[in-house]
Amino acid sequence: LKNPRPQERSLTKNIRMKAVQSNLFVAFFLLACFASLTSASDPSPLQDFCVAINDPSSAVFVNGKFCKDPKLATAEDFFFSGLNIPKNTSNPSGSTVTAVNVDRILGLNTLGISLAQIDFAPYGINPPHLHPRATEILVVLEGSLYVGFVTSNPENRLISKVLNPGDAFVFPVGLIHFQFNVGGKSAGALAALSSQNPGAAIIANAVFGSEPSINADVLAKAFQVDKNVINYLQKQFWWDNNN
Ligand SMILES: *[C@@H]1O[C@H](CO)[C@@H](O)[C@H](O)[C@H]1NC(C)=O
């Protein structure tokens, strides 16, 4: 349009505005589509619980750990050594778990990953336990381990296998699992876990060795046995093989 009259000028402006508006609409629509793929939930807990306090001046803990000034980070913050040395397994379980979590490698903070070294005496057991915050993948370095986990209700299905050196096995987050040394000699494994602080709840220790004890009547009813059986179990010393 050459030299349009004022009315025509405002008409072309109007058409251009409409085009811009519809482009913006398409852009917002695409943005909305992609935004639905992002996560908007609360961050996962990095410890068993984190009770809120109303007075910020007495706040000491965050979810996880405080961060060091990145400029001051050194190689030592990301380093751990000695996983080639078998740990002492002379204990009632005949196994020792050495957690290489954020307490041992401070640089793991916020990264969602950690490691564990597991050593076994002949016929040693890493007793039934679960990790509240992590899936585990274990690789056998030495010996033979009979390992398994149990699915949740209503199936309660045992999924198990004998592993040899070089074999890897997955224990899904929160499910009860165990490793038993069936090789007749010492065994060793390394496990990677999907949390900087996976936590470990050992079933027998939690149920029969809690402090204070769970009422014996509660457990007798829950396990459908005589109370003497519960008293006997509660008197046992429940070794914690986590180190
Ligand atoms: C291993 O631990 C047991 C029990 O604490 C102890 O008696 C033994 O001396 C330890 N062995 C070695 C080689 O440190």
Side-chain angles (χ1 to χ4, degrees), residues 80-109:
F80 188 84
S81 179
L83 294 172
N84 57 328
I85 300 163
K87 302 301 183 287
N88 190 340
T89 54
S90 299
N91 62 54
S93 305
S95 77
T96 297
V97 178
T98 306
V100 189
N101 57 23
V102 69
D103 292 332
R104 296 233 164 96
I105 302 183
L106 296 169
L108 283 176
N109 194 30

Side-chain angles (χ1 to χ4, degrees), residues 81-161:
S81 179
L83 294 172
N84 57 328
I85 300 163
K87 302 301 183 287
N88 190 340
T89 54
S90 299
N91 62 54
S93 305
S95 77
T96 297
V97 178
T98 306
V100 189
N101 57 23
V102 69
D103 292 332
R104 296 233 164 96
I105 302 183
L106 296 169
L108 283 176
N109 194 30
T110 76
L111 296 183
I113 195 168
S114 63
L115 206 61
Q117 173 189 12
I118 316 171
D119 291 301
F120 298 85
Y123 306 104
I125 177 95
N126 188 12
H129 65 282
L130 62 86
H131 304 291
R133 289 174 289 278
T135 289
E136 171 176 347
I137 180 164
L138 172 140
V139 59
V140 176
L141 302 177
E142 185 194 339
S144 295
L145 297 178
Y146 170 60
V147 308
F149 66 85
V150 180
T151 67
S152 59
N153 283 345
E155 227 189 352
N156 291 303
R157 184 158 72 98
L158 173 67
I159 296 180
S160 65
K161 193 168 175 62

Side-chain angles (χ1 to χ4, degrees), residues 160-193:
S160 65
K161 193 168 175 62
V162 174
L163 306 180
N164 293 302
D167 293 350
F169 200 81
V170 174
F171 305 100
V173 58
L175 296 186
I176 294 175
H177 60 282
F178 62 86
Q179 296 112 22
F180 182 55
N181 179 6
V182 290
K185 60 185 184 85
S186 295
L190 276 180
L193 297 118

